[in-house]
Amino acid sequence: MSDVKPEAKSAAKEFTVGDRVRVVAMPPYLKTADPMPMLRPSSLIQLGEEGTVMDRRPGNYWGVKFARGVFLMESQYIDRVI
């Protein structure tokens, strides 16, 4: 039997490269998707702003391209645009 609780399994959202996503909650800061990531203020994006998933990163992060740059977003802060 698995030690992972059912709600923990469903908490991780899955996206595919090219998906359009929307910011549904603001993170405390943004991490750039550069080879040497930097922390940036979350005011660079707005709640409800849409972006495109560029790639998957370890630790449940997604590289998302927004108008003001490509940032690493945890899946809890974004949702697929339908």
Side-chain angles (χ1 to χ4, degrees):
M1 208 175 243
S2 175
D3 290 338
V4 179
K5 296 179 182 174
E7 60 271 9
K9 289 181 182 178
S10 64
K13 300 174 193 170
E14 290 298 320
F15 304 102
T16 57
V17 173
D19 278 354
R20 295 286 298 165
V21 293
R22 177 179 294 124
V23 178
V24 295
M26 291 302 293
Y29 57 85
L30 297 172
K31 186 184 289 189
T32 64
D34 300 326
M36 178 64 94
M38 294 178 57
L39 296 180
R40 307 292 296 165
S42 63
S43 61
L44 291 175
I45 61 172
Q46 302 297 318
L47 189 63
E49 186 170 344
E50 293 184 9
T52 304
V53 174
M54 304 302 288
D55 60 1
R56 170 76 187 245
R57 303 287 176 100
N60 205 26
Y61 282 96
W62 299 91
V64 181
K65 182 177 183 179
F66 293 101
R68 297 189 71 185
V70 181
F71 301 104
L72 300 178
M73 302 289 292
E74 291 180 87
S75 59
Q76 66 190 16
Y77 297 115
I78 54 177
D79 206 1
R80 185 177 293 117
V81 175
I82 299 173

Coordinates of all heavy atoms in Angstrom, one line a residue:
M1 N 0.8 -1.2 0.0 CA 0.0 0.0 0.0 C 0.9 1.2 0.0 O 1.9 1.3 0.7 CB -0.9 0.0 1.2 CG -2.2 0.7 1.0 SD -3.3 0.6 2.3 CE -4.6 -0.3 1.5
S2 N 0.4 2.2 -0.7 CA 1.2 3.5 -0.8 C 1.0 4.4 0.4 O 0.0 4.4 1.0 CB 0.8 4.2 -2.1 OG 1.4 5.5 -2.2
D3 N 2.1 5.1 0.8 CA 2.1 6.0 1.9 C 1.6 7.4 1.5 O 1.4 8.2 2.3 CB 3.4 6.1 2.6 CG 3.9 4.9 3.3 OD1 3.0 4.1 3.7 OD2 5.1 4.7 3.5
V4 N 1.4 7.6 0.2 CA 1.0 8.9 -0.3 C -0.5 9.0 -0.2 O -1.2 8.1 -0.6 CB 1.4 9.1 -1.8 CG1 0.9 10.4 -2.3 CG2 2.9 9.0 -1.9
K5 N -1.0 10.1 0.4 CA -2.4 10.3 0.6 C -3.0 10.7 -0.8 O -2.4 11.3 -1.6 CB -2.6 11.4 1.6 CG -2.1 11.1 3.0 CD -2.3 12.2 3.9 CE -1.8 11.8 5.3 NZ -1.8 12.9 6.2
P6 N -4.3 10.3 -1.0 CA -4.9 10.6 -2.3 C -4.9 12.1 -2.6 O -4.7 12.4 -3.8 CB -6.4 10.1 -2.1 CG -6.3 9.1 -1.0 CD -5.1 9.5 -0.1
E7 N -5.1 12.9 -1.7 CA -5.2 14.4 -2.0 C -3.8 14.9 -2.4 O -3.7 15.8 -3.2 CB -5.7 15.2 -0.8 CG -5.0 15.1 0.5 CD -5.4 14.0 1.4 OE1 -6.2 13.1 1.0 OE2 -5.0 13.9 2.5
A8 N -2.7 14.2 -1.9 CA -1.4 14.6 -2.3 C -1.1 14.3 -3.8 O -0.4 15.0 -4.5 CB -0.3 14.0 -1.4
K9 N -1.6 13.1 -4.2 CA -1.5 12.7 -5.6 C -2.1 13.7 -6.6 O -1.6 14.1 -7.6 CB -2.0 11.3 -5.9 CG -1.2 10.2 -5.3 CD -1.9 8.9 -5.6 CE -1.1 7.8 -4.9 NZ -1.7 6.5 -5.2
S10 N -3.3 14.2 -6.2 CA -4.1 15.1 -7.1 C -3.6 16.5 -7.0 O -3.9 17.3 -7.8 CB -5.6 15.0 -6.7 OG -5.8 15.5 -5.4
A11 N -2.8 16.8 -6.0 CA -2.3 18.2 -5.8 C -1.3 18.6 -6.9 O -1.3 19.8 -7.3 CB -1.6 18.4 -4.5
A12 N -0.6 17.7 -7.5 CA 0.4 18.0 -8.6 C -0.4 18.0 -9.9 O -0.9 17.0 -10.3 CB 1.5 16.9 -8.6
K13 N -0.4 19.2 -10.5 CA -1.1 19.3 -11.8 C -0.1 18.9 -12.9 O 1.1 19.2 -12.8 CB -1.6 20.7 -12.0 CG -2.6 21.2 -11.0 CD -2.9 22.6 -11.2 CE -3.6 23.2 -10.0 NZ -3.8 24.6 -10.0
E14 N -0.6 18.3 -13.9 CA 0.2 18.0 -15.1 C -0.1 18.9 -16.3 O -1.3 19.1 -16.6 CB 0.0 16.5 -15.4 CG 0.6 15.6 -14.4 CD 2.1 15.7 -14.2 OE1 2.8 15.9 -15.3 OE2 2.6 15.6 -13.1
F15 N 0.9 19.4 -16.9 CA 0.8 20.2 -18.1 C 1.7 19.6 -19.2 O 2.5 18.8 -18.9 CB 1.2 21.6 -17.9 CG 0.5 22.3 -16.7 CD1 1.1 22.4 -15.5 CD2 -0.8 22.8 -16.8 CE1 0.5 23.0 -14.4 CE2 -1.4 23.4 -15.8 CZ -0.8 23.5 -14.6
T16 N 1.4 20.0 -20.4 CA 2.3 19.6 -21.5 C 2.9 20.8 -22.1 O 2.4 21.9 -22.0 CB 1.6 18.8 -22.6 OG1 0.5 19.6 -23.1 CG2 1.0 17.5 -22.1
V17 N 4.1 20.7 -22.8 CA 4.7 21.8 -23.4 C 3.8 22.4 -24.4 O 3.2 21.7 -25.2 CB 6.1 21.4 -24.0 CG1 6.7 22.5 -24.9 CG2 7.0 20.9 -23.0
G18 N 3.6 23.7 -24.4 CA 2.8 24.4 -25.3 C 1.4 24.8 -24.7 O 0.7 25.6 -25.3
D19 N 1.1 24.2 -23.6 CA -0.2 24.5 -22.9 C -0.2 26.0 -22.5 O 0.8 26.5 -22.1 CB -0.4 23.7 -21.6 CG -0.9 22.3 -21.9 OD1 -1.2 22.0 -23.0 OD2 -1.0 21.5 -20.9
R20 N -1.4 26.6 -22.6 CA -1.6 27.9 -22.1 C -2.1 27.8 -20.7 O -2.9 27.0 -20.4 CB -2.7 28.7 -22.9 CG -2.4 28.9 -24.4 CD -1.4 30.0 -24.6 NE -1.9 31.3 -24.1 CZ -1.1 32.4 -23.9 NH1 0.2 32.3 -24.2 NH2 -1.7 33.5 -23.5
V21 N -1.4 28.6 -19.8 CA -1.8 28.5 -18.4 C -2.0 29.9 -17.9 O -1.6 30.9 -18.5 CB -0.6 27.9 -17.6 CG1 -0.5 26.4 -17.9 CG2 0.7 28.6 -17.7
R22 N -2.8 30.0 -16.8 CA -3.1 31.3 -16.2 C -2.7 31.3 -14.7 O -2.8 30.3 -14.1 CB -4.7 31.5 -16.2 CG -5.2 32.7 -15.5 CD -6.7 32.9 -15.6 NE -7.1 33.1 -17.0 CZ -7.9 32.4 -17.7 NH1 -8.5 31.3 -17.1 NH2 -8.2 32.6 -18.9
V23 N -2.2 32.4 -14.3 CA -1.8 32.6 -12.9 C -3.0 32.6 -12.0 O -3.9 33.5 -12.2 CB -0.9 33.8 -12.7 CG1 -0.5 34.0 -11.2 CG2 0.3 33.8 -13.5
V24 N -3.2 31.7 -11.1 CA -4.4 31.7 -10.2 C -4.1 32.1 -8.8 O -5.0 32.3 -8.0 CB -5.1 30.3 -10.2 CG1 -5.6 29.9 -11.6 CG2 -4.1 29.2 -9.8
A25 N -2.8 32.1 -8.4 CA -2.4 32.6 -7.1 C -1.0 33.2 -7.3 O -0.2 32.7 -8.1 CB -2.4 31.5 -6.1
M26 N -0.7 34.2 -6.5 CA 0.6 34.9 -6.7 C 1.6 34.3 -5.7 O 1.4 34.1 -4.5 CB 0.4 36.4 -6.3 CG -0.4 37.2 -7.3 SD 0.3 37.1 -9.0 CE 1.8 38.0 -8.8
P27 N 2.7 33.9 -6.3 CA 3.8 33.4 -5.5 C 4.5 34.5 -4.7 O 4.3 35.7 -5.1 CB 4.8 32.8 -6.5 CG 4.5 33.5 -7.7 CD 3.1 33.8 -7.7
P28 N 5.2 34.3 -3.6 CA 5.8 35.4 -2.9 C 7.0 36.0 -3.7 O 7.3 37.2 -3.5 CB 6.4 34.7 -1.6 CG 6.4 33.2 -1.9 CD 5.3 33.0 -3.0
Y29 N 7.5 35.3 -4.6 CA 8.6 35.8 -5.5 C 8.6 35.0 -6.8 O 8.0 33.9 -6.8 CB 10.0 35.8 -4.8 CG 10.4 34.4 -4.4 CD1 11.0 33.5 -5.2 CD2 10.1 34.0 -3.1 CE1 11.3 32.2 -4.8 CE2 10.4 32.7 -2.6 CZ 11.0 31.8 -3.5 OH 11.3 30.6 -3.1
L30 N 9.3 35.4 -7.8 CA 9.5 34.6 -9.0 C 10.9 34.2 -9.1 O 11.8 34.9 -8.7 CB 9.1 35.5 -10.2 CG 7.7 36.0 -10.3 CD1 7.5 37.0 -11.4 CD2 6.7 34.8 -10.5
K31 N 11.1 33.0 -9.7 CA 12.4 32.5 -10.0 C 12.6 32.5 -11.5 O 11.8 31.9 -12.2 CB 12.6 31.1 -9.4 CG 14.0 30.6 -9.5 CD 14.1 29.2 -9.0 CE 14.0 29.1 -7.5 NZ 14.3 27.8 -7.0
T32 N 13.6 33.2 -12.1 CA 13.8 33.2 -13.5 C 14.2 31.8 -14.0 O 14.7 30.9 -13.2 CB 14.9 34.2 -13.9 OG1 16.2 33.7 -13.4 CG2 14.6 35.6 -13.5
A33 N 14.0 31.5 -15.2 CA 14.3 30.2 -15.8 C 15.6 30.2 -16.5 O 15.9 29.3 -17.3 CB 13.2 29.8 -16.8
D34 N 16.5 31.1 -16.1 CA 17.9 31.1 -16.6 C 18.7 30.0 -16.1 O 18.4 29.4 -15.1 CB 18.5 32.5 -16.2 CG 17.8 33.7 -16.7 OD1 17.2 33.6 -17.8 OD2 17.8 34.7 -15.9
P35 N 19.9 29.7 -16.8 CA 20.7 28.6 -16.3 C 21.2 28.9 -14.9 O 21.4 28.0 -14.1 CB 21.9 28.7 -17.2 CG 21.4 29.3 -18.5 CD 20.3 30.2 -18.1
M36 N 21.3 30.2 -14.5 CA 21.6 30.5 -13.1 C 20.4 31.3 -12.6 O 20.3 32.6 -12.8 CB 22.9 31.4 -13.0 CG 23.2 31.8 -11.6 SD 23.5 30.5 -10.5 CE 25.3 30.4 -10.6
P37 N 19.4 30.7 -12.1 CA 18.1 31.4 -11.7 C 18.3 32.5 -10.7 O 19.2 32.4 -9.8 CB 17.2 30.3 -11.1 CG 17.8 29.0 -11.6 CD 19.3 29.2 -11.8
M38 N 17.5 33.5 -10.9 CA 17.6 34.7 -9.9 C 16.2 34.9 -9.4 O 15.2 34.6 -10.1 CB 18.0 35.9 -10.7 CG 19.4 35.9 -11.1 SD 19.9 37.4 -12.0 CE 19.5 38.7 -10.8
L39 N 16.1 35.4 -8.2 CA 14.8 35.7 -7.6 C 14.4 37.1 -8.0 O 15.2 38.0 -8.0 CB 14.8 35.6 -6.1 CG 15.1 34.2 -5.5 CD1 15.1 34.2 -4.0 CD2 14.1 33.2 -6.0
R40 N 13.1 37.2 -8.4 CA 12.6 38.5 -8.9 C 11.3 38.8 -8.1 O 10.7 37.9 -7.7 CB 12.3 38.5 -10.4 CG 13.5 38.0 -11.3 CD 14.6 39.0 -11.3 NE 14.2 40.2 -11.9 CZ 14.8 41.4 -11.8 NH1 15.9 41.5 -11.2 NH2 14.3 42.4 -12.4
P41 N 10.9 40.1 -8.0 CA 9.7 40.4 -7.4 C 8.5 39.8 -8.1 O 8.5 39.8 -9.4 CB 9.6 41.9 -7.3 CG 10.6 42.3 -8.4 CD 11.6 41.3 -8.5
S42 N 7.5 39.4 -7.4 CA 6.3 38.8 -8.1 C 5.5 39.8 -8.8 O 4.6 39.5 -9.6 CB 5.4 38.1 -7.1 OG 4.9 39.0 -6.1
S43 N 5.8 41.1 -8.6 CA 5.0 42.2 -9.3 C 5.3 42.2 -10.8 O 4.7 42.9 -11.6 CB 5.3 43.5 -8.7 OG 6.7 43.8 -8.9
L44 N 6.2 41.4 -11.3 CA 6.5 41.3 -12.8 C 5.4 40.6 -13.5 O 5.3 40.8 -14.8 CB 7.8 40.6 -13.0 CG 9.1 41.3 -12.6 CD1 10.3 40.4 -12.8 CD2 9.2 42.6 -13.3
I45 N 4.6 39.9 -12.9 CA 3.4 39.3 -13.5 C 2.1 39.7 -12.7 O 2.3 40.1 -11.5 CB 3.5 37.7 -13.6 CG1 3.6 37.1 -12.2 CG2 4.6 37.3 -14.5 CD1 3.5 35.6 -12.3
Q46 N 1.0 39.5 -13.3 CA -0.3 39.9 -12.6 C -1.1 38.6 -12.4 O -1.0 37.7 -13.2 CB -1.0 40.9 -13.5 CG -0.3 42.1 -13.8 CD 0.0 42.9 -12.6 OE1 -0.8 43.1 -11.7 NE2 1.3 43.4 -12.5
L47 N -2.0 38.7 -11.4 CA -2.9 37.6 -11.2 C -3.8 37.5 -12.4 O -4.3 38.6 -12.9 CB -3.8 37.9 -9.9 CG -4.7 36.8 -9.4 CD1 -3.9 35.5 -9.1 CD2 -5.5 37.3 -8.3
G48 N -4.0 36.3 -13.0 CA -4.8 36.2 -14.2 C -4.0 36.3 -15.5 O -4.6 36.0 -16.5
E49 N -2.8 36.6 -15.4 CA -2.0 36.7 -16.6 C -1.8 35.3 -17.2 O -1.6 34.3 -16.5 CB -0.6 37.3 -16.3 CG 0.2 37.6 -17.5 CD 1.5 38.4 -17.2 OE1 1.5 39.1 -16.1 OE2 2.4 38.4 -18.1
E50 N -1.8 35.3 -18.5 CA -1.6 34.0 -19.2 C -0.2 33.9 -19.8 O 0.4 34.8 -20.2 CB -2.6 33.8 -20.3 CG -4.0 33.7 -19.8 CD -5.0 33.5 -20.9 OE1 -4.7 33.2 -22.1 OE2 -6.2 33.6 -20.6
G51 N 0.3 32.6 -19.8 CA 1.6 32.3 -20.4 C 1.6 31.0 -21.0 O 0.6 30.3 -21.0
T52 N 2.7 30.6 -21.6 CA 2.8 29.3 -22.3 C 3.9 28.4 -21.6 O 5.0 28.9 -21.3 CB 3.3 29.5 -23.7 OG1 2.4 30.4 -24.4 CG2 3.4 28.2 -24.5
V53 N 3.5 27.2 -21.4 CA 4.5 26.2 -20.7 C 5.6 25.9 -21.7 O 5.3 25.5 -22.8 CB 3.7 24.9 -20.3 CG1 4.7 23.9 -19.8 CG2 2.7 25.2 -19.2
M54 N 6.8 26.1 -21.3 CA 8.0 25.9 -22.2 C 8.7 24.6 -21.9 O 9.1 23.9 -22.8 CB 9.0 27.0 -22.0 CG 8.5 28.4 -22.3 SD 7.7 28.6 -23.9 CE 9.2 28.6 -24.9
D55 N 8.7 24.2 -20.6 CA 9.3 22.9 -20.2 C 9.0 22.5 -18.8 O 8.4 23.3 -18.0 CB 10.9 23.0 -20.4 CG 11.5 24.0 -19.5 OD1 10.8 24.8 -18.8 OD2 12.8 24.2 -19.6
R56 N 9.4 21.3 -18.4 CA 9.2 20.8 -17.1 C 10.5 20.8 -16.3 O 11.5 20.4 -16.9 CB 8.6 19.3 -17.1 CG 8.6 18.6 -15.8 CD 7.4 19.1 -15.0 NE 7.4 18.5 -13.7 CZ 6.5 17.6 -13.2 NH1 5.5 17.3 -14.0 NH2 6.6 17.2 -12.0
R57 N 10.5 21.2 -15.1 CA 11.7 21.2 -14.3 C 11.6 20.4 -13.0 O 10.4 20.1 -12.6 CB 12.1 22.7 -13.8 CG 12.2 23.7 -15.0 CD 13.5 23.5 -15.7 NE 13.6 24.4 -16.8 CZ 14.3 25.5 -16.8 NH1 15.0 25.9 -15.8 NH2 14.3 26.3 -17.9
P58 N 12.6 19.9 -12.5 CA 12.5 19.1 -11.2 C 11.9 19.9 -10.1 O 11.9 21.1 -10.1 CB 14.0 18.8 -10.9 CG 14.8 19.0 -12.1 CD 14.0 20.0 -12.9
G59 N 11.3 19.2 -9.2 CA 10.7 19.8 -8.0 C 9.3 20.4 -8.3 O 8.9 21.3 -7.6
N60 N 8.6 19.8 -9.3 CA 7.2 20.3 -9.6 C 7.2 21.7 -10.1 O 6.3 22.5 -9.8 CB 6.3 20.1 -8.4 CG 4.8 20.0 -8.8 OD1 4.6 19.6 -10.0 ND2 3.9 20.3 -8.0
Y61 N 8.3 22.2 -10.8 CA 8.3 23.5 -11.4 C 8.1 23.4 -12.9 O 8.4 22.4 -13.5 CB 9.7 24.1 -11.2 CG 9.9 24.7 -9.8 CD1 10.5 24.0 -8.8 CD2 9.5 26.0 -9.5 CE1 10.7 24.5 -7.5 CE2 9.7 26.5 -8.2 CZ 10.3 25.8 -7.3 OH 10.5 26.3 -6.0
W62 N 7.5 24.4 -13.4 CA 7.3 24.5 -14.9 C 7.9 25.8 -15.4 O 7.7 26.8 -14.8 CB 5.7 24.5 -15.2 CG 5.1 23.3 -14.7 CD1 4.5 23.1 -13.4 CD2 4.9 22.1 -15.4 NE1 4.0 21.8 -13.4 CE2 4.3 21.1 -14.6 CE3 5.3 21.6 -16.7 CZ2 4.0 19.8 -15.0 CZ3 5.0 20.4 -17.1 CH2 4.4 19.5 -16.2
G63 N 8.6 25.7 -16.5 CA 9.1 26.9 -17.1 C 7.9 27.6 -17.9 O 7.4 26.9 -18.9
V64 N 7.5 28.8 -17.6 CA 6.4 29.4 -18.2 C 6.8 30.7 -18.8 O 7.4 31.6 -18.1 CB 5.2 29.6 -17.2 CG1 4.0 30.3 -17.9 CG2 4.8 28.3 -16.6
K65 N 6.5 30.9 -20.1 CA 6.9 32.2 -20.7 C 5.7 33.2 -20.6 O 4.6 32.9 -21.1 CB 7.2 31.9 -22.2 CG 7.6 33.2 -23.0 CD 8.0 32.9 -24.4 CE 8.4 34.1 -25.1 NZ 8.8 33.9 -26.5
F66 N 6.0 34.3 -20.0 CA 5.1 35.4 -19.9 C 5.6 36.6 -20.7 O 6.7 36.5 -21.2 CB 4.9 35.8 -18.4 CG 4.3 34.8 -17.5 CD1 5.1 34.0 -16.7 CD2 2.9 34.6 -17.5 CE1 4.5 33.0 -15.9 CE2 2.3 33.6 -16.7 CZ 3.1 32.9 -15.9
A67 N 4.8 37.6 -20.8 CA 5.2 38.8 -21.6 C 6.5 39.4 -21.1 O 7.3 39.9 -21.9 CB 4.1 39.9 -21.5
R68 N 6.8 39.3 -19.8 CA 8.0 39.9 -19.2 C 9.1 39.0 -18.9 O 10.0 39.3 -18.1 CB 7.6 40.7 -17.9 CG 6.6 41.9 -18.3 CD 6.4 42.8 -17.3 NE 7.5 43.6 -17.0 CZ 7.6 44.5 -16.0 NH1 6.5 44.6 -15.2 NH2 8.7 45.2 -15.7
G69 N 9.0 37.8 -19.4 CA 10.1 36.8 -19.2 C 9.6 35.4 -19.0 O 8.4 35.1 -18.9
V70 N 10.6 34.5 -18.8 CA 10.3 33.1 -18.6 C 10.6 32.8 -17.1 O 11.8 33.1 -16.7 CB 11.1 32.1 -19.5 CG1 10.8 30.7 -19.2 CG2 10.9 32.5 -20.9
F71 N 9.7 32.3 -16.4 CA 9.8 32.1 -14.9 C 9.5 30.7 -14.6 O 8.7 30.0 -15.3 CB 8.9 33.0 -14.1 CG 9.2 34.5 -14.4 CD1 8.4 35.2 -15.2 CD2 10.3 35.1 -13.9 CE1 8.6 36.6 -15.5 CE2 10.6 36.4 -14.2 CZ 9.8 37.2 -15.0
L72 N 10.1 30.2 -13.5 CA 9.8 28.8 -13.0 C 8.6 29.0 -12.0 O 8.6 29.7 -11.0 CB 11.0 28.3 -12.2 CG 12.2 28.1 -13.1 CD1 13.4 27.6 -12.2 CD2 12.0 27.2 -14.2
M73 N 7.5 28.3 -12.3 CA 6.3 28.4 -11.6 C 5.9 27.0 -11.0 O 6.0 26.0 -11.7 CB 5.1 28.9 -12.4 CG 5.3 30.2 -13.1 SD 5.3 31.6 -11.9 CE 3.6 31.6 -11.4
E74 N 5.6 27.0 -9.7 CA 5.1 25.7 -9.1 C 3.6 25.5 -9.6 O 2.9 26.5 -9.9 CB 5.1 25.8 -7.6 CG 6.5 25.8 -7.1 CD 6.5 25.9 -5.5 OE1 6.4 24.8 -4.9 OE2 6.5 27.0 -5.0
S75 N 3.2 24.3 -9.8 CA 1.9 24.0 -10.3 C 0.8 24.5 -9.5 O -0.3 24.7 -10.0 CB 1.8 22.5 -10.5 OG 1.9 21.8 -9.3
Q76 N 1.0 24.8 -8.2 CA -0.1 25.3 -7.3 C -0.5 26.8 -7.7 O -1.5 27.2 -7.4 CB 0.3 25.3 -5.9 CG 1.5 26.2 -5.5 CD 2.0 26.0 -4.1 OE1 1.7 25.0 -3.5 NE2 2.8 26.9 -3.6
Y77 N 0.4 27.5 -8.5 CA 0.2 28.9 -8.8 C -0.4 29.0 -10.2 O -0.8 30.1 -10.6 CB 1.5 29.7 -8.7 CG 2.0 29.7 -7.3 CD1 3.2 29.1 -7.0 CD2 1.3 30.3 -6.3 CE1 3.8 29.2 -5.8 CE2 1.8 30.4 -5.0 CZ 3.1 29.8 -4.7 OH 3.6 29.8 -3.5
I78 N -0.5 27.9 -11.0 CA -1.0 28.1 -12.4 C -2.1 27.0 -12.6 O -2.1 26.0 -12.0 CB 0.1 27.9 -13.4 CG1 0.9 26.6 -13.2 CG2 1.0 29.1 -13.4 CD1 2.0 26.4 -14.2
D79 N -2.9 27.3 -13.6 CA -4.0 26.4 -14.0 C -4.1 26.5 -15.5 O -3.9 27.5 -16.1 CB -5.3 26.8 -13.4 CG -6.2 25.6 -13.2 OD1 -5.9 24.5 -13.6 OD2 -7.3 25.8 -12.7
R80 N -4.4 25.4 -16.2 CA -4.6 25.3 -17.6 C -5.7 26.2 -18.1 O -6.8 26.2 -17.5 CB -4.8 23.9 -18.1 CG -4.8 23.7 -19.6 CD -5.0 22.2 -20.0 NE -3.8 21.5 -19.7 CZ -3.8 20.5 -18.8 NH1 -4.9 20.1 -18.2 NH2 -2.6 19.9 -18.5
V81 N -5.5 26.9 -19.2 CA -6.6 27.7 -19.8 C -7.3 26.8 -20.7 O -6.8 26.1 -21.6 CB -6.0 28.9 -20.6 CG1 -7.1 29.7 -21.3 CG2 -5.2 29.8 -19.7
I82 N -8.7 26.8 -20.6 CA -9.5 26.0 -21.4 C -10.1 26.8 -22.5 O -10.5 27.9 -22.4 CB -10.6 25.3 -20.6 CG1 -9.9 24.4 -19.5 CG2 -11.5 24.5 -21.4 CD1 -10.8 23.8 -18.5

